[in-house]
Amino acid sequence: QVQLVESGGGLVQAGGSLRLSCAASGLIFSNYAMGWFRQAPGKEREFVVGIPWSGGLIDYADSVKGRFTISRDNAKNTVYLEMNSLKPEDTAVYYCAAKLLGSRRLADVKSYNYWGQGTQVTVSS
């Protein structure tokens, strides 16, 4: 079956950096757009960034532009999220998600086919 496993979360001070990874199995990774979403306590899950399955524009939420960078390694079936200049408001559980042949509407949480279990990111002030 399809599995998405996030790792790399943790506790970091404001201004610090973290790198999240999401390892996928059970699917043809290169056929999927990959997205990162996050959910803070008491809030809805929100879009962070999405990378299309084949080229195309990467879509970033305004709140993370210039600070976060997504990349993917199709040979390793892994997508990464490099997070720099972290702020306390970035504190959340971060989820990766996969969307078959996705290239548009990457911010649409309902359009993704598979989800990981999440990894906690906590940024202290």
Side-chain angles (χ1 to χ4, degrees), residues 33-109:
M34 299 300 296
W36 285 97
F37 293 78
R38 64 188 182 186
Q39 188 166 17
K43 295 188 177 181
E44 292 189 354
R45 191 167 298 189
E46 66 172 0
F47 172 74
V48 176
V49 60
I51 185 167
W53 72 284
S54 178
L57 292 175
I58 294 173
D59 189 12
Y60 288 93
D62 288 343
S63 59
V64 306
K65 280 181 181 176
R67 301 189 297 122
F68 290 12
T69 303
I70 190 172
S71 61
R72 64 187 298 161
D73 186 338
N74 288 346
K76 295 184 178 180
N77 287 3
T78 301
V79 62
Y80 304 97
L81 181 63
E82 186 76 34
M83 304 186 295
N84 298 314
S85 302
L86 283 161
K87 305 175 181 179
E89 51 262 45
D90 294 318
T91 295
V93 177
Y94 282 71
Y95 298 89
C96 71
K99 176 177 178 176
L100 181 62
L101 300 178
S103 59
R104 300 171 61 187
R105 295 169 53 233
L106 298 180
D108 183 0
V109 64

